[in-house]
Structure formats: C-alpha cells, structure tokens
C-alpha cells in the first residue's frame, strides 16, 4: 500500500451533497454484519456485542471522510481497513468494511492512488479468505461478494468523483470567463466615455467661452455659440446612452464634421484629404473615428495651432489616418487618451505613431485587409 498522498480538492457543495443525499444511504450495507450471529448455531451474546462495537467504531470513521476530506486517508480509510482486518476473522460480514474503504478511496484519492488501494484491499481480503476460522460455505458467502464490490463500487466512485471535479472546474472556468467579460465591458465603456466626453466637453467649453466673449460685442454670434453648445450637449447625452448600451457606432464623416466645428471655435482651420472610394468595415471605421476624435480634442486643447490637416489614404497595403497640426509640438506625456487610442487600434492589428518635431503628427495605420 503506497503512502504517497495526492488528494484532489473538493468543493463545499460536493461535500454537502455527499453528506445529505448519499452518505447515510450507504450505511444500509452494514446489515452484512447481522447474518452470522443469526445463522451461526455457535453464536452468542458476544457476537452481537461485536456487531454493535463494529458499528460504533465504524460510524465516526465514516463521517470523518465527509467532514474532513483532506484527511480522509489517515482518518478514515486506513483505520477502517485495520478494523476490517481485526474483525473479519470473527465476523465474515465485517468484510463489507473493505468495500466502504474502497468507496472512500475512490472519492478522495486520485485514480492512480485509488486503484492501488483497491489492489491492496483485494490482497488483504484474499488472505483473510484463506485463513479465516469461519467454516465453509459461510466464509465464502461473507467474503466473496466484497472481493467483487471493492472494484465495482470503487470504480463507480472514481468515475463519479471525476465527473464532480470536472463540473466544479467547469463552473470555475465559467466564473472566470464571466469575470473577464465584465472587466472587458467595463474597459470598453471607460474608453467610450473618455473618447466621447473628452471631445464633447472640450467643444462645449470652447462654445461657452466664445459665448461669454461675444455676449456683449456680438449677441447674435453669442446666441449661435450657445445653441451649438446645447446641440453638443444633447448629442453627447445620446452618445453616452448608446455607449453604455453597446449600440454606439461612430463614423468618420460625422467625426470630421464635428472636428471642423470644434476646431473652428478655437480658430483652427481644418483641411481634409480623404479617399472617398474607400469602403471600410464597421469595426475599423468605428475605431478610426474614435481615434480621430481623441486626436482632434488634443489639437483643440493643447496645440495652439492655426491649421490642422486630416488625411485618409492607402500606403503600402495599410490604411493610414494622419492628423497633423502646425502648433507648438514638443514632447508631452502620453495620457489616457493616447493609451486608449493605441489599445483600440491594436485590437484591429494596427499601430499608432506620434511625432512632435514640427507641430504634432499622429499616424494611425491599420492593415488594409482588416480595414476594407
């Protein structure tokens, strides 16, 4: 009998199921202890005392296997086997204890270790059959069936335990997938809200400042700026709802129009050079549109530029969206916007390059086979 311990973890729900639904039912097989005192003409009071004693010692060992599955080998299987070795010569029905030991080993041990237990229990029981003082044929009636049931019940318990473990692992994997999906959805919403609100709030601030500057000088233009701020706020509210529900789909044409309006409010001229013959897939256009929005927001906030050029063309089997301004340029710390842009474009298999040597140029490249 090996002493290598390779237990498999059991879930609390599995233990509870064994205890409440299966464990007590199996105790009916203790009835195998009764025939010998009943049918042996030489039996007496002490034979019945032995039956009661076996049951009283066995029950705590049996319960221990379900209460402490991590200690089932030394707290249950080993002492149960020893109890069977001591009592089977006195009552052949006590051989049923070896079947209980095999069942517990099948549940609590790995398949390899459990099979070693079955072999060991079989050998011990064969030795007891050979040397038992119980006369024939009572000896065979008492010891023969356990030799068979050690394997039948033991293998059955191995299969059941493996199914339970696979079910528990499946539940764990499903829980992990659900958690990752939740985290991914949160990140998506965070990126959407950042891209959306960063641009919309910037546009609203620009229009509000323009309104404030013109309210006394040019009331008509001030009212127009206020109206644009209101339209931007309403559009942002609609897009926030769509982003949260996952239904939002941005388009390059809409973003270019919005960019023109935003940049004009801060005195920046927008020049576009786009290949109108290109037909983009929805996911690519959505990603490029949001990247354009982030880049335009940065131009309006930080560039202090006079003009900005946006071009969309095919170069070396890549679709390239380039946003270049003639502003201050220089090196700036990459914020959440640029990080989110790179993350979004990397999902499409593309890349984002940033240059601040002469003004600022952002190049977004996506493989053409993905984009169209």
């Amino acid at each position: 009998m090996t002493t290598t311990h390779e237990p498999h973890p059991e879930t609390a729900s599995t233990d509870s199921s064994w205890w409440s639904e299966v464990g007590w039912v199996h105790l009916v097989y203790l009835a195998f202890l009764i025939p010998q005192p009943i049918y042996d003409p030489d039996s007496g009071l002490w034979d019945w005392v032995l039956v009661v004693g076996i049951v009283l010692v066995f029950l705590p060992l049996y319960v221990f296997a379900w209460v402490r599955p991590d200690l089932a080998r030394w707290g249950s299987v080993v002492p149960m086997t020893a109890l069977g070795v001591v009592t089977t010569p006195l009552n052949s029905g006590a051989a049923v204890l070896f079947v209980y030991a095999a069942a517990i080993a099948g549940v609590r041990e790995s398949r390899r270790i459990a099979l070693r237990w079955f072999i060991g229990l079989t050998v011990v029981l064969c030795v007891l059959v050979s040397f038992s003082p119980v006369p024939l044929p009572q000896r065979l009636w008492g010891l023969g069936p356990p030799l068979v049931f050690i394997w039948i019940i033991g293998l059955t318990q191995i299969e059941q335990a493996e199914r339970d473990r696979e079910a528990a692992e499946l539940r764990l994997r499903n829980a992990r997938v659900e958690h990752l999906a939740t985290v991914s959805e949160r990140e998506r919403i965070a990126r959407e809200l950042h891209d959306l609100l960063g641009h919309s709030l910037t546009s609203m601030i620009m229009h509000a400042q323009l309104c404030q500057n013109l309210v006394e000088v040019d009331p008509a233009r001030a009212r127009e700026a206020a109206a644009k701020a209101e339209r931007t706020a309403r559009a942002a509210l609609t897009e926030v709802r769509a982003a949260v529900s996952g239904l939002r789909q941005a388009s390059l044409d809409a973003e270019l129009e919005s960019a023109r309006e935003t940049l004009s409010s801060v005195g920046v001229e927008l020049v576009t050079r786009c290949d109108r013959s290109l037909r983009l897939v929805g996911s690519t256009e959505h990603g490029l549109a949001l990247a354009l929005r982030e880049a335009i927001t940065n131009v309006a906030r930080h560039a202090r530029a006079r003009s900005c050029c946006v071009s969309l063309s095919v170069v070396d089997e890549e679709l390239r969206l380039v946003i270049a301004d003639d502003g201050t340029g220089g090196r700036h710390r990459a914020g959440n916007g640029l990080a989110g842009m790179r993350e979004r474009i990397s999902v499409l298999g593309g890349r984002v390059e940033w240059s601040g040597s002469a003004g600022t140029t952002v190049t977004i490249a996506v493989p053409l086979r993905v984009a169209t």
Side-chain angles (χ1 to χ4, degrees), residues 31-86:
F32 279 95
L33 296 167
I34 298 176
Q36 183 169 323
I38 292 178
Y39 296 108
D40 186 356
D42 298 327
S43 65
L45 176 62
W46 288 110
D47 293 284
W48 288 105
V49 171
L50 177 63
V51 170
V52 174
I54 292 173
V55 172
L56 291 178
V57 175
F58 168 80
L59 286 177
L61 301 177
Y62 181 76
V63 171
F64 188 84
W66 315 120
V67 174
R68 290 297 303 273
D70 55 322
L71 300 177
R73 176 184 296 182
W74 298 107
S76 184
V77 179
V78 171
M80 199 176 291
T81 302
L83 180 63
V85 170
V86 172

Side-chain angles (χ1 to χ4, degrees), residues 262-278:
T262 299
L263 293 178
S264 67
S265 67
V266 292
V268 179
E269 179 187 4
L270 177 64
V271 179
T272 59
R273 299 189 184 95
C274 298
D275 186 348
R276 297 295 179 180
S277 64
L278 291 171

Side-chain angles (χ1 to χ4, degrees), residues 28-323:
V28 70
Y29 298 110
L30 291 176
F32 279 95
L33 296 167
I34 298 176
Q36 183 169 323
I38 292 178
Y39 296 108
D40 186 356
D42 298 327
S43 65
L45 176 62
W46 288 110
D47 293 284
W48 288 105
V49 171
L50 177 63
V51 170
V52 174
I54 292 173
V55 172
L56 291 178
V57 175
F58 168 80
L59 286 177
L61 301 177
Y62 181 76
V63 171
F64 188 84
W66 315 120
V67 174
R68 290 297 303 273
D70 55 322
L71 300 177
R73 176 184 296 182
W74 298 107
S76 184
V77 179
V78 171
M80 199 176 291
T81 302
L83 180 63
V85 170
V86 172
T87 57
T88 299
L90 305 175
N91 184 329
S92 59
V96 74
L97 300 179
F98 295 106
V99 181
Y100 281 107
I104 295 171
V107 173
R108 300 308 182 194
E109 302 284 358
S110 68
R111 176 182 286 269
R112 181 169 63 87
I113 299 300
L115 290 174
R116 292 182 181 181
W117 269 102
F118 300 165
I119 294 171
L121 292 169
T122 301
V123 171
V124 171
L125 198 51
C126 287
V127 172
L128 292 174
V129 170
S130 302
F131 295 99
S132 174
V134 177
L136 295 172
Q138 289 88 347
R139 184 193 313 176
L140 294 179
W141 283 112
L143 301 181
L147 281 172
V148 177
F149 284 110
I150 282 174
W151 291 91
I152 293 177
I153 294 179
L155 291 173
T156 300
Q157 297 307 312
I158 286 178
E159 297 299 329
Q160 181 63 46
E162 288 180 347
R163 283 196 296 270
D164 290 343
R165 283 192 284 268
E166 288 173 359
E169 290 173 359
L170 179 60
R171 289 193 297 271
L172 180 60
R173 286 197 298 270
N174 289 340
R176 286 173 177 169
V177 169
E178 184 178 350
H179 172 71
L180 291 175
T182 301
V183 171
S184 177
E185 181 64 8
R186 287 174 179 170
E187 290 177 349
R188 182 193 69 80
I189 293 175
R191 287 195 303 269
E192 295 278 339
L193 293 180
H194 177 275
D195 294 342
L196 169 64
L197 295 179
H199 175 83
S200 299
L201 291 176
T202 297
S203 180
M204 290 165 61
I205 290 171
M206 300 299 179
H207 288 126
Q209 289 176 338
L210 182 61
C211 178
Q212 186 178 11
N213 294 334
L214 296 175
V215 67
E216 294 181 358
V217 179
D218 192 340
R221 287 188 62 194
R223 283 194 297 272
E224 182 182 350
K228 287 181 179 179
E230 181 185 2
R231 287 197 300 271
T232 301
R234 292 183 183 278
L237 180 59
T238 300
E239 290 184 324
V240 166
R241 290 170 177 165
V244 171
S245 63
L247 300 176
R248 180 168 171 261
Q249 185 69 34
S251 71
L252 278 172
D253 288 339
E255 289 305 322
L256 284 172
E257 188 61 33
S258 176
R260 189 179 304 279
E261 209 172 282
T262 299
L263 293 178
S264 67
S265 67
V266 292
V268 179
E269 179 187 4
L270 177 64
V271 179
T272 59
R273 299 189 184 95
C274 298
D275 186 348
R276 297 295 179 180
S277 64
L278 291 171
R279 294 293 180 265
L280 307 182
V281 297
S283 58
T284 300
E285 183 171 10
H286 180 73
L288 291 176
L290 293 179
L292 174 63
R293 169 175 290 199
E294 177 62 28
I296 292 298
T297 300
N298 288 336
V299 173
R301 280 179 175 174
H302 310 299
R304 287 182 284 181
R306 294 189 303 273
S307 66
C308 176
C309 178
V310 175
S311 64
L312 181 68
S313 59
V314 176
V315 180
D316 297 333
E317 295 300 314
E318 287 184 331
L319 180 69
R320 294 188 184 179
L321 176 65
V322 180
I323 303 97

